[in-house]
Each structure stands twice: as C-alpha cells, then as structure tokens.
C-alpha cells in the first residue's frame, strides 16, 4: 500500500543568496556541501527567487504593527457555512471511518458528482461528442501544475496574457516550456486584449505552442471578456490546435451587469474537446486554506492528469472534499430553482400574450431551461469595495483602473513619481499603513518595456477593512501630487 508523506521541512537556517549582502553559507552557495545536489531547474528558480520572494516581502510588510493587508488575495468573509458544517460532520463521523482516510485519487465520489452537477446547473450543457470527466486536486495551483505536467514537452511553448498569475511562468519553465506572453493594452483606465496580438503569438509559435492559459475573470486586472471575445479566443485556439487551460476560478465573482462566459461552452466546433477547466473552493466558497480544486475536461486528458496528480499529492483531504461537495450541491439546487422559475415565467408570459397553444408555451419554456452562471453574494460586496477603494485612490492622486470581476483592483501610481515597489513600501510603512502588491512580478522580466508603476490591491475583504483602508489612503497620500 502507498503511504503519502509530506516532504521534509527545510532547515530554519536556510536562506536565499544575497539575503545578507553575500551568499556565503546560503542555500545556493557553490561551496555548500548540500546545495550541489540540487538540479538546474530548481537552481534557476531559487536564483530568481521570483514570485515566492515577492509574496514573502508582501507578507512581511502586511505583518508590521497596525498594517491593513490588501496584498494577499484571501477573503476574510463569506466562507461557506454549508461546507464547513459538512466537513466538520465528516471529521467527527465515527460511523464511517473512511471519511477521514484517503479518497480515490480522482476525488471523493461525492465531490466528483457535485462538480458535474454544479457545471450542468450553471449552464454547461453536456456535449454528446465529448465525454468529460473530473479529477479533484489539492488546490487550483496543483491543478495547473498537473495539467502542464501532463501536457508539456521540453521545448514547447505556453501562451498566456500579461500581466499574469506568477505561477503560470514558473510552471511553464519548470517543465521546460518557453513562455510566450501577450500583453494586455491599458487604455483609458481599461485593460483589453488585442486579438491581432494573440493571433500573432500563435503564428510566431506555430508548431510549438501546446497550450493557452485562459484566465477569466482575469487575475490581476479584473478584465472579463465578452461573449464575442471569448468566442474569438476559442476559435484561435481551435484553429492552431492549442489546448485551452481555462483558469476560471473567479467565475462567480463578476461585478454589475458584466456577464461571464465559460470558454468551453462557446459555440465553436471542437473547443470542448481541447479545453481543461480549473475550479476551486478557494474562490467559489471563500475557503482558500482548504486547498481543494478540480479539473474538468475530455476523458483522455483527465486520465493523464489523474496520474500526475496521484504522483504529486495522491488525494485532497477527504473530509474537506465532502464539505465542498455539499456546498456545490446547494449552489446547483439554487441554480436549478432559478432556471425552473425562469422557464415558468416565460411560459406564463407566452400565455398572457395570447399565444396559448401547447407547443408555443413549451417552446417558450424550453428556451429558458439552460442554467445560468450568476454572481454570488460575495461578488456584490467586492463590487462595492472596488467603488470605495477606487474613489479613495483617485482622491489620493493615483489612477485606479476599471475592474469588472475577480478579487483585485489595479492602480497606476505613475503620478506619484515612484515605482510600484517604492509606492508599496511607502504605503505600508508610512502613516497610511496599507499593504499592496507591486505588479512587477506579474510580468515577464525578459520582456521589453515592463511597466513599473502598477499596483494591485485585494478587494476580497470585509467592508469595514476596505473603508479603513480607503480613509487612510485618502488622508495620507503617497508621493508627489499635481501642484506640489
């Protein structure tokens, strides 16, 4: 039998090179008797330090006395009560000891079923030509890692939009792929994708591009692609024979009247056969510490990802899977109820208008039977948070960008005369005492003209936290302002 053990914890004395001004005795020191065993891929990642070091620095700033944390994207409200109660019951269940033991590597049957039901209820209609299956992973991060591990050969390319979630580029390089980024344009405070730029990336990498990572709502910009834009992206991926890794973890977090369209549901031939959809309880249920995610996709790809997942973590925590399953079923029940009401209303309207034949009534109802993906209650809170924080940032002299979904708000701080890193340090250590993230790490440093004045603020916080931050930012503006 297999015993799943975590890797040994690193020594508390381990550190990165140049941490104290030199690398003598550091992890990467060439004179170290143990560092010589590290492979070249790991050496490169440690030398860069990259995203992990930025997060470490941000965390350190956020932990300073009195600092309010708008850096890390973990929600401090809205954690699913249904999921927590069900998981607690599973943990304390003395009748079924299996609830606290390994689940099958593909996932606890309860959660595999619930994921399928959730997607069907919220609008993903089954396709007769594509048999889709699910694998439960230990977070969406592992889902992304396992997808790339199953797909990527050294020397192939992975395309994604810039700025990007930093783990995209790290995972690509770990598996020997070349990252090819397409930079979003920032015009009139709005980020947008130029489809000609995306086509050019596929043309330039023709024959080498294996996957495109589609992130919507987009982290970190908050861009939500329209249905037409999503369809154009899908058409390009099908045209060039590229697998779509759909990072749609924020799908129920859109603001106002902005509608989210799943790329696998586009009316594009063969798109579902080459799309892997990633979801997670971290964002759907505000349970980022549970580390329960999943991948939904065509059976041949999911079978391969299941193997990679089993070799990596074997299974996600079983009682937490049971809790997530219960919460997803509740969402599915609510979505089905809303769909039935919509169909009934359509039929009644048809009769009211005098078209009371059985066929016309049935047709009117049938046209409304497809489920819908609608924003959750947390999204409503975050939408208002964006407005409150945007107003304060504007008043402080910086330029907030438009955010239509997700957990974040981006601001351009060029007007302060500071770089994003300088601004974030001053904001956290000065009288405002607010932690944010410089967005340099969301760009490929090997690219030209990388912006260095963009800052990311997390809006997935309680209203009181956002209001305190807004008040502090407004009262204690950072850097120079016009007229000074």
């Amino acid at each position: 039998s297999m015993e799943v053990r975590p890797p040994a914890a690193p020594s508390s004395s381990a550190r990165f090179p140049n941490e104290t001004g030199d690398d003598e005795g550091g992890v990467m020191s060439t004179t170290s008797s143990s560092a010589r065993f590290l492979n070249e891929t790991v050496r490169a990642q440690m030398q860069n330090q990259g995203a992990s070091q930025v997060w470490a620095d941000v965390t350190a700033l956020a932990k300073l006395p009195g600092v309010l944390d708008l850096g890390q994207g973990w929600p401090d409200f809205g954690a699913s009560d249904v999921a927590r109660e069900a998981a607690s019951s599973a943990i304390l269940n003395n009748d079924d000891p299996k609830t606290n033991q390994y689940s099958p590597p593909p996932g606890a049957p309860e959660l595999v079923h619930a994921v399928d039901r959730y997607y069907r209820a919220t609008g993903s209609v089954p396709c007769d030509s594509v048999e889709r299956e699910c694998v439960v992973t230990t977070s969406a991060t592992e889902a992304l890692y396992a997808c790339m591990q199953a797909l990527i050969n050294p020397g192939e390319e992975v395309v994604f939009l810039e700025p990007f979630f930093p783990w995209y580029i790290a995972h690509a390089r770990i598996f020997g792929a070349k990252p090819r980024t397409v930079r979003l344009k920032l015009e009139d405070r709005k980020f947008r994708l130029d489809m000609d730029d995306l086509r050019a990336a596929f043309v330039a990498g023709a024959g080498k591009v294996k996957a495109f990572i589609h992130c919507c709502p987009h982290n970190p910009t908050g861009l939500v692609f329209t249905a037409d834009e999503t369809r154009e992206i899908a058409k390009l991926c099908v045209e060039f024979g590229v697998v779509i890794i759909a990072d749609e973890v924020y799908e129920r977090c859109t603001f106002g009247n902005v509608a989210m369209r799943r790329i696998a549901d586009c009316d594009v031939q063969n798109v579902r056969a080459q799309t892997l959809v990633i979801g997670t309880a971290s964002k759907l249920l505000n349970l980022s510490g549970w580390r329960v995610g999943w991948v939904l996709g065509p059976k041949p790809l999911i079978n391969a990802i299941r193997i990679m997942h089993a070799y990596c973590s074997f299974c996600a925590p079983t009682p937490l899977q049971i809790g997530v399953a219960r919460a997803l079923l509740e969402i599915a029940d609510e979505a089905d109820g809303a769909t039935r009401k919509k169909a009934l209303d359509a039929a009644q309207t048809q009769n009211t208008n005098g078209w009371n034949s059985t066929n016309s009534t049935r047709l009117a109802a049938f046209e409304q039977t497809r489920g819908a993906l609608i924003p959750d209650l947390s999204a409503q809170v975050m939408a208002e948070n964006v407005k409150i924080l945007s107003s304060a940032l504007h008043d402080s002299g910086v330029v907030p960008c438009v955010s239509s979904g997700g957990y974040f708000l981006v601001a351009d701080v060029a007007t302060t005369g500071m770089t994003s890193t300088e601004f974030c340090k001053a904001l956290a250590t000065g009288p405002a005492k607010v932690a944010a993230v410089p967005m340099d790490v969301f760009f490929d440093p090997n690219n030209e003209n990388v912006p260095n004045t963009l800052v990311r603020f997390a809006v997935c916080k309680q209203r009181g936290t956002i209001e305190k931050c807004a008040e502090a930012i407004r009262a204690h503006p950072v850097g120079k302002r016009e007229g000074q």
Side-chain angles (χ1 to χ4, degrees), residues 4 141 264 311 399 405 416:
V4 182
T141 304
Y311 289 152
V399 181
T416 67

Side-chain angles (χ1 to χ4, degrees), residues 135-148 165 167-168 171 213 245-250 277-284 287-288 290-295 305 316:
V135 57
V136 176
T137 58
T138 309
S139 77
T141 304
E142 194 215 357
L144 176 68
Y145 189 91
C147 286
M148 290 211 190
F165 177 54
W167 270 245
Y168 294 168
H171 286 179
I213 304 177
I245 301 176
D247 182 355
E248 296 175 337
V249 298
Y250 299 102
V277 179
I278 294 177
T280 175
S282 296
K283 306 305 187 294
L284 273 178
L287 297 169
S288 65
W290 283 27
R291 316 313 291 144
V292 177
W294 54 84
V295 187
I305 294 168

Side-chain angles (χ1 to χ4, degrees), residues 23 44 49 79 86 117 119 122 126 146 209 261 268 298 321 373 381 459:
D23 66 348
Q49 300 184 30
R117 172 118 189 275
Y119 281 94
T122 54
V209 176
R261 179 66 182 270
V268 175
Q321 291 190 60
L373 184 63
V381 174
V459 296

Side-chain angles (χ1 to χ4, degrees), residues 387-425:
K387 294 178 181 178
I388 293 170
L389 194 57
S390 293
S391 176
L393 289 167
H394 175 269
D395 291 347
S396 74
V398 303
V399 181
C401 301
V402 174
S403 178
S404 299
Y407 278 12
F408 306 106
L409 171 66
V410 174
D412 189 341
V413 301
T415 54
T416 67
M418 308 172 79
T419 66
S420 56
T421 300
E422 292 169 342
F423 178 90
C424 288
K425 288 181 178 179

Side-chain angles (χ1 to χ4, degrees), residues 130-181:
V130 179
E131 184 179 359
R132 287 213 298 187
E133 293 197 1
C134 170
V135 57
V136 176
T137 58
T138 309
S139 77
T141 304
E142 194 215 357
L144 176 68
Y145 189 91
C147 286
M148 290 211 190
Q149 193 173 26
L151 294 172
I152 304 301
N153 294 305
E156 292 179 330
E157 298 185 5
V158 178
V159 176
F160 44 88
L161 306 182
E162 189 182 48
F164 48 78
F165 177 54
W167 270 245
Y168 294 168
I169 196 168
H171 286 179
R173 286 175 173 159
I174 284 171
F175 295 117
K178 174 185 175 182
R180 185 178 290 276
T181 59

